[in-house]
Amino acid sequence: MKTAKHLLQGYIDGSAQESAALFAENGARMPYLSDLGVEPRYEGPRNIGAFLTFLHAKMYPGFKFADVKIYIDTS
């Protein structure tokens, strides 16, 4: 099993599909997305990947994390 730090780093470094592969089949709930008019729940890596692709390509094109520092390490 990966630590929280490894999962976060994988999300930061990965493509939409690589990041989506980190999620369980029962999905992810992101209630704050409904404020943006976006569905707040996605189930399975395939649907999460489609959402992340949309997020990166349409809502925030060119978005990427830079100079990330993780201060809490539970490993």
Side-chain angles (χ1 to χ4, degrees):
M1 175 186 243
K2 293 185 177 191
T3 66
K5 179 181 178 179
H6 286 116
L7 292 172
L8 179 59
Q9 198 64 54
Y11 177 76
I12 291 168
D13 295 339
S15 68
Q17 296 307 316
E18 290 168 333
S19 297
L22 300 171
F23 287 86
E25 285 298 324
N26 64 353
R29 179 162 166 65
M30 299 166 269
Y32 52 86
L33 292 177
S34 61
D35 292 340
L36 302 173
V38 178
E39 178 66 34
R41 179 165 177 79
Y42 297 89
E43 290 194 16
R46 185 171 152 232
N47 290 329
I48 293 169
F51 166 70
L52 292 174
T53 298
F54 163 77
L55 185 70
H56 296 170
K58 302 287 183 192
M59 289 187 79
Y60 302 103
F63 174 84
K64 62 181 174 180
F65 292 97
D67 300 321
V68 175
K69 292 180 178 77
I70 299 173
Y71 291 100
I72 298 175
D73 186 355
T74 60
S75 56

